[in-house]
Amino acid sequence: MSDHDNFGLEVIGQIAVPVSDVDRAIAFYRDMLGMRFLFKAPPGLGFFDCGGVRLLLDEPAKKQSQNFSSIIYYKVADLPAAFSTLSARGVLFEQPPELVAKMPDHELWMAFFRDPDGNLLALMSEVREEN
């Protein structure tokens, strides 16, 4: 069996929770739940650390109906390989992997797909330059 056959998603890197008011949600998670706040980013995002898994509070730019759902982001070391493997298995991605943010020490790449019920899922990879 090749690594291609043995590949499976394991590590959750980030979970996104839609919220109606990001400042109110940040205050609740930080001040009431005592979670470690990382940073806030435009347009309406708040990030927390949950023992190495990031929690993203997301106030959608467009108001949506009340059927909020979370997005699970699976951390992978090699996003192009994971994308290729899962695509070969019939997973339909919304677009090829794309750069979503340049951080001081790495680039954050993601690729989004849906489960059979239409729930949004994602692959994420933090790409650091080789020195």
Side-chain angles (χ1 to χ4, degrees), residues 43-83:
L45 307 173
F47 294 86
F48 288 83
D49 176 56
C50 303
V53 175
R54 256 196 323 254
L55 174 68
L56 160 61
L57 304 177
D58 181 7
E59 183 179 337
K62 296 180 287 190
K63 290 301 174 192
Q64 60 186 31
S65 64
Q66 291 296 51
N67 51 345
F68 289 175
S69 67
S70 298
I71 303 169
I72 299 174
Y73 295 76
Y74 293 94
K75 191 180 282 190
V76 296
D78 186 339
L79 183 54
F83 176 82

Side-chain angles (χ1 to χ4, degrees), residues 99-122:
L99 175 64
V100 297
K102 283 188 179 235
M103 307 298 213
D105 64 338
H106 69 276
E107 293 180 344
L108 180 60
W109 286 77
M110 293 188 179
F112 292 89
F113 60 100
R114 294 188 184 271
D115 73 6
D117 291 303
N119 295 306
L120 191 60
L121 301 170

Side-chain angles (χ1 to χ4, degrees), residues 33-48:
L33 299 183
M35 293 174 61
R36 189 164 78 87
F37 179 66
L38 296 174
F39 61 94
K40 184 177 174 186
L45 307 173
F47 294 86
F48 288 83

